Amino acid sequence: MNLFEYIRPASTAEAVTAASEPGAAYLAGGTNLLDLMKVGAIHPGRLVDVTRLPGLDRIEQLADGGMRIGAMVRNADIARDPIFAKAYPSVAEALLSGASPQLRNAATVGGNLLQRTRCAYFQDAASACNRRDPGAGCDAREGENRAHAVLGWSQSCIATHPSDFCVPLVALDAVVEIEGPNGGREVPLEEFHLLPGTTPERENVLGAGELITGLRLPADASGFRSHARYLKLRERTSFAFALVSAAAALRIEGETIRAARLALGGVAAKPWRARAAEALLTGAKPDAEIFAGAAEVALAEARPSGDNAYKIELAKRLVKRAFLLAAAGTPERVPALPASVFVSDTGVPTHA
Amino acid sequence: MPDTIPFRAQNVRMGSSSGQPLTRRDGFLKVTGAATYAADNHPENLLHAVVAVSTIARGRVASLDVDAAKAHPGVVEVITPANRIPLALDPDVKVGLFGFRIEALQDDRVRYANQPIALVVAETLEAATEGVRLLAPRYDVEQTRISFGDGEAFEPVAVAFGSPPVAAVGDLGAGLAAASHRVEASYVTPAQYHNAMEPHAMVASWDGDRLTLDTPNQAIVLSRAAFAAYFGIPAENVLLRSPFLGGGFGSKAIMNGPYILCILAARMLGRPVKMVLPRAQMFGPVGHRGATRQTLRLGTDADGRLTALEHDAVATTSSFDDFLEPAANASLNLYASPTIVARHHGLRLDIGTPGPMRAPGEASGSAALESAMDEAALACGLDPLEFRLRNYAENDPASGKPFSAKSLRECYAQGAEAFGWAGRALEPCRMRDEAGQLVGWGMGSAIFHAPMFQAEARATLRADGTALVETAGADMGQGAWTALAQIAADGLGLDIDKIEFRSGSSDLPDGGVAGGSGHTATAGSALHNAGTDVISKLTELAVNDRDSPLFGAGNAGVDARHGRLYHRDDEARSESYQSILARAGLTNLEGNGRGGRDPASAEQRAMFSHGAVFAEVKVDPDLGQVKATRLVGAFAAGRIINPKLARSQLYGGMIWGISFALHEEALHDRRTGRPMNADLAGYHIPVHADIPDMEVLLIDEVDPYVNGLGIKGVGEIGITGTVGAIANAIWHATGVRARRFPIRIEDIIVG
Ligand SMILES: Cc1cc2nc3c(=O)[nH]c(=O)nc-3n(C[C@H](O)[C@H](O)[C@H](O)COP(=O)(O)OP(=O)(O)OC[C@H]3O[C@@H](n4cnc5c(N)ncnc54)[C@H](O)[C@@H]3O)c2cc1C
Ligand code: SF4
């Protein structure tokens, strides 16, 4: 019988204990979890509602100049926080380019990090899916896969991680704060999500009962605030997941790039940090040629996993554009169509 | 642009209501939540039904765990082919003109994914939903045929609802041979599912042999008879109530299996049953727009005149029934050509049977035709608008008949002027905006036939000078309650606030079908005639009554307006409706009317609405993302009863055109046939940010032949023309021709 328990713990410790049982799942905004339960893709036996845990709903400035966001802060509230948006404009832009206002009002930080892939075969209980049902096979391999991964995929799974939020976060070295049965720990977001390999069911490093309590952005991440953009290609102007997205950030002194950051979304089972491309840019002059070179480097390992070879070329072009826009400077305010190629109040010609 | 359409003498004289941009009379109820949709009904003792649907597309249901489902608390019954009571009609027989073969658990065969294979009925929706899960069906699976490559080809005997599959005028070979330029191009259009905001829903209750149905329906009285036929009861025994529909688009005009199962459950269990299809089940048993593959061959002479137009369409249908999207027929009535051939082939796939979906045939056919016309214009070195003007059809190319009225030239001229079309470069890739985005302009012609069905109406003038007007019409959101009431008020010579308008229930006179863009014309004519019937009876009373100021005025000598009859030669002589009735000792006076096409004018004239759509798109030159940035549509559709509603309909049609061109596509897994994007996160339709600056121009048109009121239709024409205009604008921006719809980023960046 598909009856499940609903628990609303009063403290983090209680939550962790309640969720350590097999079959338990944390319930945050529910915008992803409940949908998957309704379509029958997942059947948790116990829901541990963490939305009212004390102390997880704050955005704080840290003494070292960084910022900390509680796991229960709603996506909309982060994007609207003026101090946060000023320090990490590409994160705010990424958030505002995702989902719809209603969903952003409900979705939490923790839930956004842990949202599941949008692979249609994962969501369809009647399909074979290694991620849902280890060893069952992967129906996406020969199926509708034009939006699937081009980097880091394996024979077992070719799904992508759908989050926009995570892409600039990975670029900016965000750190995930975790509480678990064995106490607290911290994991860099870049290492938090796992590539599928032969165990696609292991999507991240969390162990049983582990709860995300917060997210930290280091102080030096705000050093990119004058040259940070998020750009997202999608099949309608708003309210669609990324086919490919890129978060590009630069620290420019005079004519020289002192530091560069790049992460891609929609290309792999995790937000994809492209460190080799960053290295290429460091010390270079910010121009179209070097950005094109960085794009080549970033996608050097990419291979189609199905009808999606076009995504490789698209990702390259997008990376180049994202850097051009970043170099031109972060706009004063988040554009009316966040992360869209159709808003360019920076004056950067799109055909440069 | 004036908001009020002036009075035109050529048609029936209308009163003060018609032509006014009245706001929808049901709008307040809808925005306050007071409008009751079918699923808002909760009769006592209600049971909930959930359909179990198949996850395979072809084969047999080998087993269902009925015991497990029945054991679940709250589950009352599981209906399967093994225990369902017989129907009076074989579900594999088609009933009436709009009949379809349906799946009502007649056997264990599976013919498409999402086909009903059982019905679970329970005390709660949750229990029924869980019961469905517990059925854990097993199947004997057969090879699925789902794409153009693996379907079973056949030559159809008819397309759509009985139209000939081939239509030809002239000598195609000679026309092509005579051409100095030839263009051949193919286009694929995808399967699209109606997905009205309100899903299909029903509450069914039996009382002995009488059946009450609360269900959204576009053809209320016709459907009443069809429902009755499946259960072997007289049509009058069925009361079908459909006061509000949350959209229909053709899907709610046709019969489907889940409805029959819901009624059947109510009968078997002796309790009212509610069934609401979840969004995913809208992809299968309730119709869709079938995919097509179309090939056009156009020949033109040195002056850019068509010498031949051939439109060949492969239309997909189910393995067990025929509804072929009549796409090629889009080429029959628009452009002059000495020879036109429209030809359809069928392809059977393991899908639910397609059905009529807003502008069936015209939408997909126009997408291909208007794209091909653009290619032909280029081949001739002509501006696309100039090319269309050179091929302007003065008479209907298919039949040779004159048009009842055709104002397409005015549409072209005013649309082009409003858009600023003049000076457009012929070649692609010539325009950029200040940010460097590629900009392109394209256009397309719009056409939609102006049919009429049959409708009846009743008008009852009451002693207090108000009137009750009744017809079982359907308001799907298009505004029928408002536009029809406006016509009814004018028929009676009453102000609209004196009219009580009843509609949307099968115990009223037959309002016909809200489909084919013919509802306002048909039900409106019936209502107007019912009003005039009342007025002529009233006149009869007055002119024969010595005590009336109108005594002796004679039938022809009286005008009815604002609740009074006026002597036509002496306005000072008048009398109110109330006093005429009072003196005659009547508490009310009833009139009846019918609406339908005059067969003689149908014989003599071709009847169409026309339009021209101009589109601007921007395309990112490197990244291929497309945005429609400007749309102007100019439409001539006879007399416009309510310009505000008409504009809304045309906006809606054009927005669907954007959807068709850029977004909408059902993705069926090529192995299992299951729709893989059967929700509104995956099945993309435009959101607000996709909708550009839009302008609709209503071109004044007097059509003396289409019907007495001069009304055509505006419900569907907006999609036609628009899809091609956008595709052509994309070509103009990028040089890339669309070969399939929707046009995707990879089509543009790969070229
Ligand atoms: C129609 C639609 C469109 C969308 N479009 C976009 C888009 O364009 N871009 C985008 O980025 N996202 C998009 N989303 C996804 C959306 O961002 C996620 O659904 C949302 O962020 C999930 O957050 P939630 O709080 O509702 O999580 P829930 O649904 O409550 O949980 C999601 C998962 O996270 C786990 N979880 C939640 N919180 C914690 C925690 N603190 N510790 C451990 N585990 C936890 C849950 O157990 C569950 O597995 C879309 C969603 C929908 C429905
Ligand atoms: S790609 Fe991954 S998520 Fe999708 S079906 Fe295959 S295994 Fe499952």
Side-chain angles (χ1 to χ4, degrees):
Chain A
M1 224 189 293
N2 189 27
L3 290 181
F4 57 85
E5 227 182 329
Y6 172 83
I7 293 176
R8 193 192 291 159
S11 68
T12 302
E14 263 180 54
V16 167
T17 309
S20 297
E21 298 289 318
Y26 287 117
L27 171 68
T31 59
N32 187 224
L33 184 74
L34 299 184
D35 275 3
L36 290 171
M37 288 173 69
K38 280 190 260 181
V39 299
I42 56 172
H43 307 95
R46 170 186 279 186
L47 293 189
V48 182
D49 183 347
V50 288
T51 52
R52 302 186 206 197
L53 289 182
L56 299 185
D57 59 353
R58 283 199 296 272
I59 303 177
E60 303 159 87
Q61 279 189 280
L62 301 174
D64 70 358
M67 282 187 95
R68 181 177 186 284
I69 321 164
M72 287 307 125
V73 178
R74 307 288 162 161
N75 287 187
D77 293 333
I78 312 170
R80 280 197 218 105
D81 185 285
I83 298 169
F84 182 90
K86 199 128 212 97
Y88 313 108
S90 57
V91 181
E93 186 166 16
L95 276 170
L96 292 173
S97 76
S100 66
Q102 294 88 336
L103 283 159
R104 295 195 295 268
N105 286 339
T108 63
V109 168
N112 195 314
L113 263 52
L114 287 166
Q115 63 175 299
R116 315 294 295 271
T117 181
R118 305 303 294 193
C119 171
Y121 300 90
F122 173 80
Q123 295 183 22
D124 172 35
S127 293
C129 170
N130 287 324
R131 193 170 277 266
R132 216 179 345 93
D133 184 8
C138 169
D139 274 350
R141 292 302 309 276
E142 302 293 323
E144 289 296 334
N145 53 23
R146 50 180 287 281
H148 280 68
V150 292
L151 281 164
W153 54 272
S154 72
Q155 299 300 324
S156 306
C157 177
I158 60 172
T160 62
H161 192 264
S163 169
D164 291 305
F165 182 42
C166 289
V167 181
L169 285 178
V170 158
L172 296 176
D173 284 337
V175 174
V176 186
E177 300 177 350
I178 300 166
E179 273 308 317
N182 306 318
R185 62 176 177 132
E186 293 183 349
V187 178
L189 182 59
E190 190 185 349
E191 291 160 25
F192 180 82
H193 297 97
L194 301 176
L195 289 176
T198 54
T199 53
E201 70 281 8
R202 289 216 59 212
E203 296 178 9
N204 53 60
V205 299
L206 288 186
E210 282 196 311
L211 174 76
I212 296 182
T213 51
L215 190 71
R216 241 178 29 241
L217 277 150
D220 73 340
S222 67
F224 292 96
R225 67 182 176 279
S226 316
H227 296 282
R229 286 306 302 269
Y230 181 67
L231 212 55
K232 172 178 178 184
L233 278 173
R234 53 205 130 165
E235 292 181 327
R236 57 185 170 192
T237 311
S238 179
F239 202 15
F241 287 93
L243 274 181
V244 184
S245 69
L250 297 167
R251 233 176 54 230
I252 301 177
E253 283 168 19
E255 283 285 275
T256 311
I257 299 171
R258 288 291 165 217
R261 297 289 173 84
L262 175 64
L264 290 110
V267 294
K270 59 186 285 185
W272 190 267
R273 180 85 179 254
R275 288 186 182 268
E278 295 173 1
L280 181 82
L281 293 175
T282 308
K285 189 166 153 286
D287 62 21
E289 199 183 328
I290 192 79
F291 293 148
E296 288 297 331
V297 170
L299 275 300
E301 312 278 293
R303 291 172 294 141
S305 62
D307 298 331
N308 57 1
Y310 75 95
K311 281 184 70 168
I312 300 171
E313 177 61 24
L314 204 55
K316 289 180 188 172
R317 297 182 186 185
L318 187 71
V319 165
K320 178 181 162 197
R321 177 75 59 78
F323 273 122
L324 282 170
L325 289 171
T330 308
E332 238 342 272
R333 25 176 52 227
V334 179
L337 286 175
S340 171
V341 299
F342 287 112
V343 181
S344 175
D345 24 14
T346 58
V348 178
T350 51
H351 54 103
Chain B
M1 163 116 279
D3 256 351
T4 307
I5 304 298
F7 159 69
R8 274 87 45 103
Q10 284 85 342
N11 296 116
V12 162
R13 181 174 175 237
M14 298 296 264
S16 56
S17 283
S18 296
Q20 299 297 328
L22 296 190
T23 298
R24 267 155 54 168
R25 302 174 101 208
D26 50 343
F28 185 78
L29 296 177
K30 286 179 172 170
V31 298
T32 56
T36 44
Y37 291 86
D40 295 330
N41 290 287
H42 308 274
E44 258 177 55
N45 217 12
L46 183 68
L47 289 170
H48 298 264
V50 175
V51 188
V53 295
S54 113
T55 54
I56 67 160
R58 186 161 168 242
R60 287 182 187 281
V61 178
S63 75
L64 290 168
D65 196 345
V66 173
D67 293 341
K70 277 184 121 165
H72 186 71
V75 170
V76 173
E77 184 60 283
V78 176
I79 303 175
T80 70
N83 68 341
R84 88 132 160 83
I85 55 171
L87 291 167
L89 262 187
D90 179 353
D92 274 320
V93 165
K94 292 162 83 120
V95 193
L97 177 58
F98 300 130
F100 280 84
R101 297 200 171 96
I102 58 169
E103 300 69 43
L105 302 179
Q106 55 266 47
D107 53 38
D108 61 1
R109 264 222 74 78
V110 174
R111 313 193 272 202
Y112 60 90
N114 279 349
Q115 177 198 305
I117 54 170
L119 188 77
V120 178
V121 192
E123 298 288 349
T124 62
L125 174 62
E126 292 76 11
T129 305
E130 180 60 7
V132 164
R133 197 181 71 85
L134 291 167
L135 285 175
R138 289 170 176 282
Y139 305 93
D140 295 332
V141 188
E142 292 163 36
Q143 177 78 39
T144 303
R145 302 152 305 178
I146 202 72
S147 54
F148 280 102
D150 51 23
E152 181 191 320
F154 71 104
E155 292 307 322
V157 292
V159 295
F161 293 114
S163 303
V166 180
V169 290
D171 180 341
L172 182 67
L176 285 169
S180 47
H181 301 284
R182 270 179 292 274
V183 163
E184 176 167 347
S186 293
Y187 309 89
V188 172
T189 67
Q192 300 174 348
Y193 287 77
H194 305 74
N195 275 307
M197 183 126 65
E198 177 204 28
H200 286 257
M202 174 177 274
V203 175
S205 354
W206 287 91
D207 179 5
D209 254 355
R210 307 192 78 84
L211 173 64
T212 302
L213 299 175
D214 290 298
T215 185
N217 197 288
Q218 295 176 240
I220 293 171
V221 173
L222 205 71
S223 300
R224 172 183 76 154
F227 282 119
Y230 282 97
F231 292 91
I233 54 174
E236 305 73 58
N237 282 19
V238 178
L239 176 62
L240 193 164
R241 296 184 294 211
S242 180
F244 303 102
L245 294 88
F249 311 124
S251 177
K252 289 172 181 163
I254 58 178
M255 185 55 72
N256 64 59
Y259 281 158
I260 295 301
L261 294 176
C262 178
I263 301 170
L264 196 130
R267 167 138 262 192
M268 281 174 70
L269 300 170
R271 289 171 64 180
V273 174
K274 179 191 289 194
M275 180 200 68
V276 181
L277 292 192
R279 182 60 59 187
Q281 293 183 5
M282 298 290 286
F283 293 74
V286 296
H288 70 282
R289 192 196 299 284
T292 70
R293 192 174 59 208
Q294 304 175 51
T295 304
L296 283 104
R297 278 201 293 171
L298 278 63
T300 46
D301 67 17
D303 297 330
R305 293 201 167 73
L306 286 168
T307 60
L309 168 54
E310 181 190 22
H311 194 155
D312 192 277
V314 178
T316 53
T317 188
S318 67
S319 63
F320 56 95
D321 202 356
D322 294 355
F323 184 93
L324 287 96
E325 180 86 356
N329 290 351
S331 286
L332 288 176
N333 314 103
L334 189 50
Y335 298 114
S337 171
T339 166
I340 302 179
V341 175
R343 201 185 303 108
H344 297 87
H345 314 278
L347 187 72
R348 296 204 183 281
L349 300 177
D350 298 314
I351 52 173
T353 308
M357 176 159 155
R358 202 172 188 183
E362 287 89 350
S364 31
S366 163
L369 171 64
E370 293 304 319
S371 300
M373 284 294 283
D374 212 62
E375 299 191 39
L378 185 76
C380 299
L382 286 174
D383 174 81
L385 176 54
E386 172 58 25
F387 180 62
R388 284 168 175 82
L389 285 167
R390 288 200 192 178
N391 290 289
Y392 197 85
E394 300 295 348
N395 292 316
D396 174 27
S399 65
K401 293 177 193 173
F403 289 105
S404 59
K406 175 171 176 173
S407 313
L408 180 55
R409 257 199 200 94
E410 292 71 19
C411 296
Y412 285 143
Q414 293 193 33
E417 170 75 29
F419 184 85
W421 179 262
R424 171 189 173 278
L426 280 190
E427 307 77 16
C429 313
R430 291 301 162 94
M431 292 192 288
R432 297 220 184 216
D433 71 3
E434 57 295 342
Q437 302 283 2
L438 294 165
V439 178
W441 292 353
M443 57 99 42
S445 308
I447 184 168
F448 201 82
H449 60 127
M452 285 180 82
F453 305 98
Q454 299 291 325
E456 294 164 11
R458 180 164 58 227
T460 311
L461 184 63
R462 300 186 282 216
D464 63 358
T466 66
L468 173 66
V469 290
E470 300 166 294
T471 189
D475 196 328
M476 305 179 278
Q478 83 277 39
W481 282 53
T482 311
L484 292 179
Q486 286 176 268
I487 297 171
D490 284 354
L492 281 158
L494 283 173
D495 295 341
I496 193 157
D497 57 0
K498 298 276 192 260
I499 296 278
E500 182 189 341
F501 179 61
R502 276 199 209 144
S503 188
S505 181
S506 68
D507 51 355
L508 302 173
D510 184 357
V513 185
S517 300
H519 197 38
T520 310
T522 312
S525 296
L527 285 161
H528 197 270
N529 290 339
T532 15
D533 191 30
V534 169
I535 295 304
S536 68
K537 288 177 182 168
L538 197 64
T539 305
E540 193 71 12
L541 291 174
V543 300
N544 293 314
D545 183 346
R546 291 181 176 282
D547 292 335
S548 169
L550 298 167
F551 178 66
N555 261 3
V558 171
D559 280 339
R561 84 187 110 90
H562 302 306
R564 297 183 79 83
L565 294 183
Y566 290 85
H567 194 292
R568 208 165 271 165
D569 298 333
D570 180 4
E571 288 274 304
R573 286 170 66 187
S574 75
E575 188 171 25
S576 73
Y577 297 175
Q578 286 105 306
S579 68
I580 300 171
L581 288 179
R583 227 169 329 91
L586 293 175
T587 53
N588 60 57
L589 186 60
E590 185 182 304
N592 293 287
R594 304 177 76 85
R597 170 127 307 140
D598 165 26
S601 62
E603 191 49 47
Q604 288 156 12
R605 313 264 160 187
M607 301 178 186
F608 293 88
S609 299
H610 293 91
V613 181
F614 297 83
E616 177 186 273
V617 301
K618 291 188 178 176
V619 184
D620 190 287
D622 304 318
L623 303 171
Q625 194 164 333
V626 179
K627 187 166 162 34
T629 46
R630 218 148 54 82
L631 275 183
V632 174
F635 299 93
R639 188 204 294 265
I640 299 301
I641 295 299
N642 183 323
K644 185 186 252 178
L645 295 175
R647 277 206 187 91
S648 290
Q649 282 290 290
L650 294 162
Y651 283 135
M654 288 163 72
I655 289 169
W656 204 323
I658 296 175
S659 192
F660 195 126
L662 300 177
H663 303 293
E664 221 175 320
E665 173 176 26
L667 298 169
H668 288 263
D669 181 77
R670 59 199 118 180
R671 296 148 304 174
T672 65
R674 269 201 302 286
M676 296 313 295
N677 58 344
D679 60 50
L680 293 181
Y683 185 85
H684 282 179
I685 55 172
V687 296
H688 284 297
D690 294 303
I691 303 311
D693 182 14
M694 288 176 68
E695 187 176 350
V696 162
L697 305 172
L698 297 173
I699 305 302
D700 202 24
E701 181 180 76
V702 177
D703 190 328
Y705 303 103
V706 68
N707 50 50
L709 305 179
I711 298 173
K712 292 173 171 175
V714 292
E716 293 163 273
I717 188 171
I719 307 186
T720 75
T722 305
V723 186
I726 292 171
N728 297 338
I730 289 175
W731 171 80
H732 194 233
T734 64
V736 176
R737 285 284 179 203
R739 294 289 163 224
R740 59 171 181 176
F741 294 95
I743 304 165
R744 295 205 182 277
I745 286 178
E746 64 259 42
D747 299 330
I748 290 167
I749 68 158
V750 178

